[in-house]
Amino acid sequence: MEGVRNVIGDSVKDLQLHWNSSYWWRSQVNNMTAHIREMRCPDAVKYLHAETLRYFLQIKSRVRDVTFSYVEQITGVDVSESISRIDFLLRSKFTHPNLVCFLAGASIGVLLGFLIAFRMNQIEFRNRVRSLGCIAYSGLKGVALIDDFPVRSKCRKYEVIVQVRAASVDPVDLRITHGYGRLWRNFLFKKWMLGKKVFPLSLGRDFSGVIAEIGSGVRDLEVGEHVWGATPFWYQGCLAELICVPEQWVGRKPKTLGHEGAAAVPYSGIQSWEAILGRRLLEEKPLKGKRVLVHGGSTPSGCLTVQLAVLAGAEVTITVPSHAVDVISQLEVDQVFVMQDTALFKLIGVVEGFHVVINCYETDYSDVCQQLCTKDGRVGSTTSKDLKSDGFGFIRKCIFNSWWRFFYLFMSPSLGPMPERKLLDRWSELIDSGKIQPVIDRAFPFHNAEAAIHFSSRSNAVGKTVVIMRNRIWVNHEEDL
């Protein structure tokens, strides 16, 4: 490093000297140009132009030398020699034998690379498990129990394989069956190497289970630990006997909950936290004394949003359908309005002046919510936003894929709620302390999982719909290879 500093210091001083002298040279050029124009001497103008070009080429050459020196000190590569060799190759004439050897070597390399990648992909997806998924974007008609759903038999460095004990159906799963996020899913499946194709696509966003295997880089989790977690909408779902997910999407399960109760919280909890609190801490009581309206307090995310708003010190008003009043009234809210989701406009002129309005239904009611707010009020939502890319045609899809292949090299897109271990651990603390309780409408056995998603599609479900897995011994088929 000391040699690098010396080279950089000398180079900077040299450049400063050239740069300062260039100011003097430019003033001299201006004076001489004015004098020559008065004399009207063409030869002198040509001479002045040649001298100016020569001097600035010297500066350019020095800058290049400084750059090469810096690269050579850092990487140990002789840049000048490398450029000379490349220039020699480009100037050389290719003979027929050379060209044939080059093409043959390139072809063999590509073929070997393809075969190795194909073999690795075959090894990676050796586990076959049962899952509830969709085989086409055709709504509930495309949902079916799959007996041979492919799951990676060996996790990567920072991944874990979880044997799922319970998972739940989220409203976004119903939208996924109709093609929600299809373009992003096609793109990110290839980037995350989740498989050759999207279908079959497993459903379910929340899960609770036991770690069956961890990657070599995982330090905070161990095999056999009871965990919970969630997956984003573009990833494979959790309604499967085994799932392989990044370790940051997994946290330790609350000790006071069984797997059935734990499977009702993670994904909806992340949505609720971002909608009501954002990045603020609950201990700061950010909503103390403020009026909050939760539209859809009986939805999976609405039940948790209401409880968070109460803990944050807000005066909470909720809207729920008539069949959910008895359950939601136990959440210690200040005021309850019984109505269907489409009747929110009836509150205009009756109760207004809310500081925060949260919509927990999948339908967008932002215009009505804004009318119920104060001038400086805030409107939020726990649902997944509509994606314009779902309506793209062929040409726009091609542009989309080309653009994001380049843009994804520098940053990842923000696509709705992302699981985060710190937030999962925060929810676990609140549940273990008795401040938050999950709300479950009904639990289905795994062999009847199709009925679970049909039940969840009805508007009379209160809270989460959970699917309980029947435990089977998991065998790592990687040992058979």
Side-chain angles (χ1 to χ4, degrees):
M1 289 300 296
E2 188 64 30
V4 174
R5 293 193 186 98
N6 293 335
V7 170
I8 295 176
D10 295 341
S11 302
V12 170
K13 291 179 182 178
D14 204 356
L15 282 176
Q16 288 177 346
L17 180 62
H18 279 274
W19 189 255
N20 294 334
S21 62
S22 67
Y23 279 100
W24 175 85
W25 180 256
R26 187 170 59 182
S27 62
Q28 295 297 319
V29 167
N30 292 335
N31 295 334
M32 293 174 63
T33 302
H35 181 66
I36 290 172
R37 284 177 178 172
E38 293 178 0
M39 296 175 60
R40 296 182 180 180
C41 180
D43 294 335
V45 173
K46 292 181 181 179
Y47 171 77
L48 179 63
H49 179 269
E51 287 296 312
T52 304
L53 181 62
R54 181 183 63 82
Y55 188 79
F56 278 98
L57 286 176
Q58 290 179 357
I59 295 179
K60 180 181 177 181
S61 176
R62 183 55 187 165
V63 171
R64 184 191 63 183
D65 294 341
V66 170
T67 305
F68 286 178
S69 299
Y70 177 74
V71 173
E72 290 171 4
Q73 288 290 335
I74 296 297
T75 63
V77 177
D78 190 343
V79 181
S80 302
E81 180 66 21
S82 300
I83 292 177
S84 300
R85 292 182 178 182
I86 294 173
D87 183 66
F88 173 76
L89 290 174
L90 294 176
R91 292 177 183 273
S92 301
K93 292 183 178 180
F94 286 100
T95 61
H96 183 72
N98 290 340
L99 184 60
V100 171
C101 291
F102 170 76
L103 293 177
S107 302
I108 293 173
V110 171
L111 180 61
L112 288 175
F114 175 78
L115 292 176
I116 292 172
F118 180 77
R119 178 59 180 165
M120 290 178 64
N121 195 42
Q122 289 293 101
I123 294 173
E124 195 175 14
F125 291 89
R126 286 294 298 273
N127 279 328
R128 298 287 171 170
V129 301
R130 291 177 298 179
S131 172
L132 177 69
C134 61
I135 56 178
Y137 293 133
S138 55
L140 295 180
K141 296 179 180 179
V143 177
L145 276 173
I146 304 168
D147 291 328
D148 58 347
F149 184 79
V151 178
R152 291 204 297 271
S153 57
K154 188 175 182 180
C155 50
R156 300 188 183 100
K157 185 175 182 180
Y158 296 106
E159 291 181 336
V160 296
I161 293 179
V162 179
Q163 185 176 17
V164 180
R165 298 289 177 84
S168 62
V169 180
D170 192 84
V172 74
D173 290 309
L174 303 175
R175 300 180 66 183
I176 289 173
T177 62
H178 291 277
Y180 176 74
R182 66 177 73 189
L183 195 56
W184 277 111
R185 191 171 295 108
N186 292 338
F187 173 76
L188 292 172
F189 253 58
K190 297 175 183 178
K191 291 298 179 183
W192 283 63
M193 292 180 289
L194 301 180
K196 298 179 181 179
K197 53 185 180 180
V198 172
F199 295 111
L201 177 66
S202 57
L203 301 174
R205 297 301 111 194
D206 320 72
F207 67 88
S208 180
V210 180
I211 293 182
E213 185 179 331
I214 61 174
S216 59
V218 178
R219 297 290 180 265
D220 299 332
L221 300 172
E222 297 180 358
V223 174
E225 278 195 289
H226 292 255
V227 295
W228 66 346
T231 60
F233 73 86
W234 50 265
Y235 202 83
Q236 285 285 12
C238 313
L239 282 167
E241 293 176 318
L242 287 178
I243 58 172
C244 185
V245 293
E247 62 167 330
Q248 65 267 26
W249 296 356
V250 178
R252 290 178 177 84
K253 181 182 69 67
K255 298 177 181 179
T256 57
L257 287 181
H259 289 291
E260 179 182 333
V265 176
Y267 191 77
S268 297
I270 293 168
Q271 290 178 311
S272 303
W273 195 287
E274 290 186 359
I276 199 74
L277 295 174
R279 293 295 176 180
R280 293 173 293 181
L281 298 176
L282 187 62
E283 290 79 8
E284 298 175 354
K285 298 290 183 181
L287 301 177
K288 187 175 182 179
K290 294 185 177 181
R291 300 183 63 206
V292 175
L293 172 64
V294 179
H295 182 46
S298 62
T299 61
S301 58
C303 296
L304 298 176
T305 303
V306 170
Q307 297 181 71
L308 271 183
V310 172
L311 288 177
E315 299 177 8
V316 182
T317 301
I318 65 172
T319 65
V320 293
S322 58
H323 64 272
V325 174
D326 294 338
V327 176
I328 302 302
S329 60
Q330 301 178 20
L331 301 181
E332 300 180 357
V333 297
D334 296 285
Q335 194 173 15
V336 179
F337 287 93
V338 180
M339 62 176 62
Q340 297 299 321
D341 60 325
T342 56
L344 180 62
F345 68 92
K346 294 181 180 180
L347 293 182
I348 299 175
V350 179
V351 283
E352 297 179 359
F354 291 101
H355 298 94
V356 180
V357 178
I358 305 296
N359 175 39
C360 299
Y361 286 111
E362 291 296 316
T363 308
D364 184 13
Y365 295 109
S366 55
D367 294 338
V368 181
C369 292
Q370 194 65 55
Q371 296 182 52
L372 296 170
C373 278
T374 59
K375 291 183 179 180
D376 56 346
R378 178 172 62 88
V379 174
S381 176
T382 61
T383 58
S384 302
K385 61 182 180 180
D386 294 331
L387 300 174
K388 295 181 179 179
S389 58
D390 289 340
F392 285 176
F394 176 76
I395 296 178
R396 296 179 73 181
K397 284 181 181 179
C398 294
I399 297 174
F400 174 91
N401 288 325
S402 301
W403 168 255
W404 274 105
R405 279 194 183 96
F406 171 77
F407 196 66
Y408 197 81
L409 298 173
F410 306 99
M411 64 178 296
S412 300
S414 177
L415 297 173
M418 287 292 291
E420 185 180 349
R421 182 180 297 176
K422 291 182 179 179
L423 194 52
L424 291 172
D425 292 342
R426 188 71 183 95
W427 274 105
S428 183
E429 294 173 4
L430 292 173
I431 292 173
D432 284 337
S433 63
K435 298 178 180 179
I436 295 288
Q437 56 181 345
V439 179
I440 300 174
D441 191 302
R442 191 173 298 183
F444 290 81
F446 185 58
H447 68 268
N448 202 21
E450 290 183 69
I453 196 166
H454 282 274
F455 176 80
S456 180
S457 64
R458 303 170 187 170
S459 59
N460 59 350
V462 180
K464 280 280 191 176
T465 302
V466 176
V467 177
I468 302 174
M469 306 292 182
R470 186 178 66 183
N471 297 332
R472 294 198 302 177
I473 298 176
W474 174 68
V475 179
N476 188 347
H477 294 283
E478 189 75 17
E479 299 173 356
D480 299 338
L481 299 178

